[in-house]
Amino acid sequence: MASPGAARVLGSTLVATLLAACAPGAADPAPVASGSSDTASSSVTGSATPTATPSSTRKPAPVPLATDRGRWSAAVVAYGGGDSPYNYGPTVLLESGRHRMWWCSQLGAAVPAGDDLLYSESGSAAGPFVAPNGAPAMPVLSGSVTGFDGVHTCDPSVVKVGGTYFLYYTGAAGDHAHGNAIGVASSTDGLSWTRLAGGAPIVSPSYDKTRENTYGAGQPSVLVVDEWFYLMFTDTTGEAAGWNGAGQFVLRSKDATFASGVQALGPDGFQSVPDTRTKRTRSVVDAFSADWMYVDVLGAFAIAHETDAGTTLTFWNKDFTASPHPVVHIPGQWREGPGLVRTAHGHAPVSLEDPCGRIAVDVIRATVDGAAAAPTDLQQFGLDLVGVPGCTTVPSASVLHGFAMPSPQNTMDLVLGGKVVRIERRSVTDRLAAKVLDRRPAVVDRMPVVARIPAGAKAVRSSDGQIGLLLSKDEDQDQLWVLGAGPAAEEIVALNSSEPTLVTKAAWEAYPKAGNLRR
């Protein structure tokens, strides 16, 4: 919710009371004596740095990242409409060209009276964002009345796994000490949500330490890497939080509700713990209200948090043992937590222009305190990271999925899941690839060639209209590579001079399945 600390003086007594439970405060420099070992001492009002690298072994020097194409919407991109007094803490999911955004506000029409989660969408991060019903925004989750989140729902973070959206949020039953905790809900459309875990919080304050800041646990940001849900959050009672409660802690689990298999990030890496209320022994950045994403091409996490320089990006490698790059700043005014534009799993979007060397980073953040003295006026800011040392390993080259490039054999190579399908005709490649690159990244030579598509390759059509190619590598047995049904699949087999043979559903199912050529 809004920065943990003193409650804001709002335009009405009611709004002031409602927001008091939600505000952690501003992260100020921690007064640390010389030689102190306090691990959460770096200021988040200057050039912030990650807190506490766990190993004393020598690490490679951080590799600077250049930037270009700085951008700013210069106008408000989304607002709640009606009587909404504040708009902040967004989460933005890029899906099929749509920027889907959820954020914290308050609408008088939504009951009970308290923080609500609103939704709208746009074709661009620069807006304008509009709800599916044509309104500026629509409420999608409000207080449960009776649960831990009885009054307030705020600080959303959304990911999509398979066909299911998961929403992590801060909930509170009212204005009382340590009243915030983290809940989770699921949805099939991102609009209608069902609370999980029986409506109980999945992360509560750890109560490691008592501080003047009594906000508790909240401001979650979730992403998915290698089937693990990584949850970063604020806990002002955590042992490794700063003097003012600032700090970001990390838990992970393969269970979206964090009811089992929980691991906590500590000084020695991830360790299994009994539950989510384990002692918070390590903070990854000295901040409140942060967001993060996994940057596949770098093999690193990027944490977005606010400092005097704007939104600061702090980087950690995959196992949190080193900071591979110095911080990067997205300048401009701000008042409350940035929301990164991310993919369904909470990863950085892949650049079609240069997937291995360019990363577009866009955030939406509140920029002023409005008439209610609370954060509002959501605007978009961004830049590109350029000259990125990406695709140096096969894992980091996962960003090449769906891209094609020239092969050493005067054909084209299509990368699918870290493997290569070699295609004879350029016209077919153009239809199958997200984009055809002019230059071949060296890492592709380390990927196995698993199939070849010669002109006239055998094609089959199932009784339900599905089309596929029967392909092999060298003299191996034919395997079925699916193209799908519809005009696009018909066009591809026509361009390849492959006339499909009708087969029964049983015969289709009997073919060894290799994969989907249409990404």
Side-chain angles (χ1 to χ4, degrees):
M1 301 190 170
S3 294
R8 303 176 185 274
V9 180
L10 302 184
S12 69
T13 302
L14 173 62
V15 175
T17 302
L18 294 176
L19 195 60
C22 314
D28 297 320
V32 181
S34 177
S36 169
S37 60
D38 190 341
T39 62
S41 62
S42 64
S43 166
V44 301
T45 60
S47 293
T49 56
T51 57
T53 299
S55 172
S56 61
T57 59
R58 185 179 298 275
K59 303 293 192 304
V63 178
L65 299 172
T67 64
D68 70 5
R69 299 181 184 174
R71 47 195 174 269
W72 168 41
S73 64
V76 172
V77 301
Y79 68 104
D83 56 354
S84 59
Y86 48 84
N87 299 272
Y88 66 87
T91 181
V92 188
L93 189 155
L94 179 58
E95 183 179 24
S96 301
R98 287 189 301 164
H99 292 72
R100 309 190 66 187
M101 184 164 69
W102 300 257
W103 72 94
C104 186
S105 187
Q106 182 186 147
L107 290 178
V111 293
D115 289 338
D116 307 305
L117 297 184
L118 306 188
Y119 172 83
S120 63
E121 59 188 49
S122 173
S124 166
F129 283 77
V130 179
N133 62 6
M138 57 187 291
V140 294
L141 191 71
S142 299
S144 64
V145 180
T146 59
F148 82 98
D149 55 356
V151 175
H152 301 291
T153 56
C154 198
D155 309 313
S157 182
V158 176
V159 292
K160 184 182 182 184
V161 180
T164 302
Y165 297 86
F166 293 97
L167 163 67
Y168 298 77
Y169 63 95
T170 308
D175 179 15
H176 58 277
H178 304 139
N180 294 308
I182 297 170
V184 63
S186 68
S187 173
T188 57
D189 61 7
L191 302 177
S192 300
W193 295 94
T194 301
R195 287 170 167 85
L196 302 179
I202 62 168
V203 176
S204 298
S206 63
Y207 300 107
D208 299 336
K209 287 188 178 182
T210 300
R211 295 184 174 88
E212 182 178 349
N213 188 334
T214 60
Y215 172 81
Q219 300 180 329
S221 179
V222 70
L223 51 78
V224 181
V225 179
D226 298 335
E227 299 183 354
W228 287 92
F229 289 82
Y230 284 75
L231 180 64
M232 183 177 70
F233 59 97
T234 299
D235 185 352
T236 61
T237 72
E239 180 179 273
W243 65 278
N244 57 354
Q248 294 296 302
F249 303 98
V250 178
L251 300 172
R252 72 178 184 181
S253 173
K254 292 189 175 182
D255 175 1
T257 66
F258 285 76
S260 62
V262 178
Q263 295 185 353
L265 181 64
D268 298 317
F270 283 100
Q271 302 290 331
S272 294
V273 294
D275 54 48
T276 61
R277 198 175 278 186
T278 183
K279 183 172 287 189
R280 321 286 190 216
T281 58
R282 182 182 174 194
S283 168
V284 292
V285 72
D286 185 17
F288 294 113
S289 193
D291 197 11
W292 66 343
M293 63 185 178
Y294 188 72
V295 187
D296 293 273
V297 71
L298 296 176
F301 296 90
I303 302 173
H305 54 103
E306 306 296 18
T307 70
D308 280 349
T311 297
T312 293
L313 302 177
T314 292
F315 298 89
W316 281 106
N317 64 3
K318 194 172 185 179
D319 57 6
F320 293 91
T321 58
S323 300
H325 308 285
V327 298
V328 172
H329 303 295
I330 304 175
Q333 67 189 91
W334 66 271
R335 292 304 300 160
E336 181 64 29
L340 288 159
V341 174
R342 313 185 306 169
T343 66
H345 281 196
H347 293 215
V350 176
S351 167
L352 283 177
E353 178 183 346
D354 183 3
C356 295
R358 179 177 289 273
I359 304 165
V361 182
D362 288 279
V363 299
I364 296 177
R365 64 195 188 211
T367 54
V368 301
D369 282 342
T376 193
D377 284 9
L378 292 168
Q379 297 186 26
Q380 173 255 352
F381 300 80
L383 49 73
D384 282 11
L385 305 176
V386 294
V388 172
C391 298
T392 57
T393 65
V394 171
S396 69
S398 63
V399 296
L400 292 175
H401 177 76
F403 284 82
M405 63 285 302
S407 82
Q409 298 183 2
N410 295 321
T411 54
M412 304 300 293
D413 282 348
L414 175 66
V415 176
L416 295 174
K419 300 175 182 179
V420 170
V421 174
R422 190 150 286 169
I423 306 171
E424 181 176 336
R425 289 186 174 175
R426 172 63 188 257
S427 59
V428 175
T429 306
D430 289 339
R431 299 304 188 277
L432 291 174
K435 184 176 180 180
V436 178
L437 303 177
D438 293 330
R439 296 184 179 181
R440 178 184 181 85
V443 70
V444 179
D445 293 335
R446 293 153 56 187
M447 299 178 182
V449 177
V450 295
R452 290 176 169 80
I453 304 180
K458 291 182 289 185
V460 291
R461 185 197 310 272
S462 72
S463 56
D464 62 359
Q466 293 288 312
I467 296 174
L469 296 176
L470 295 176
L471 307 176
S472 65
K473 176 193 171 186
D474 301 324
E475 301 302 322
D476 294 343
Q477 178 186 8
D478 285 345
Q479 293 182 307
L480 180 64
W481 289 83
V482 177
L483 289 170
E490 298 283 359
E491 181 185 22
I492 290 168
V493 291
L495 288 170
N496 201 57
S497 302
S498 298
E499 181 64 32
T501 299
L502 184 63
V503 298
T504 65
K505 186 66 173 177
W508 175 276
E509 295 295 340
Y511 290 120
K513 303 300 189 297
N516 193 321
L517 287 169
R518 299 272 304 283
R519 306 183 306 281

